[in-house]
Amino acid sequence: MADVNAKVDINKFYEVARRDVASLVGGLSVNAAVIYNASGAAVTFFVYNYIDTVYWISAAKVLVADGYYGSVVASGKFFKIHPNDNKSEEFLVAPHTAYIYSGPGKLEKV
């Protein structure tokens, strides 16, 4: 469910994600998205289904070191992500999409 891949340069990640995001999520669940962590510190992404209104149990937790990327998996057209389980920093991601996370409020769709 969670996959942390090899360290990769952010420019290389961006290039691959723009050209062929399927190569990053290949072999993963059909409802997977990829997040590259460029925040300067390790982040645990708590993943919730879009329809969730109570956040007791996450669909997944993915620890991603700075300079690495990981896959997030849930159900629905979007997933709610809480970096380090902080609901006030919530953002949405879509399946089959790659993102670069640079810190609270700094998410770029690739």
Side-chain angles (χ1 to χ4, degrees):
M1 189 180 310
D3 181 32
V4 178
N5 297 292
K7 185 170 178 119
V8 64
D9 176 73
I10 191 170
N11 295 317
K12 179 71 172 171
F13 176 83
Y14 190 85
E15 176 186 321
V16 171
R18 295 286 290 173
R19 187 178 63 244
D20 183 19
V21 71
S23 68
L24 294 173
V25 296
L28 300 174
S29 169
V30 291
N31 283 335
V34 177
I35 302 175
Y36 181 93
N37 180 9
S39 69
V43 176
T44 300
F45 295 108
F46 286 72
V47 187
Y48 295 91
N49 296 316
Y50 182 72
I51 62 170
D52 288 350
T53 55
V54 179
Y55 305 107
W56 290 343
I57 301 173
S58 61
K61 289 186 260 187
V62 181
L63 174 63
V64 182
D66 181 54
Y68 288 74
Y69 64 95
S71 61
V72 293
V73 181
S75 63
K77 292 185 179 189
F78 294 96
F79 318 146
K80 293 179 182 178
I81 309 293
H82 297 174
N84 295 321
D85 209 19
N86 187 339
K87 185 185 179 325
S88 68
E89 296 176 9
E90 177 181 284
F91 59 85
L92 298 176
V93 299
H96 313 288
T97 309
Y99 298 87
I100 297 173
Y101 176 78
S102 300
K106 299 175 185 169
L107 183 73
E108 176 188 358
K109 180 179 173 184
V110 178

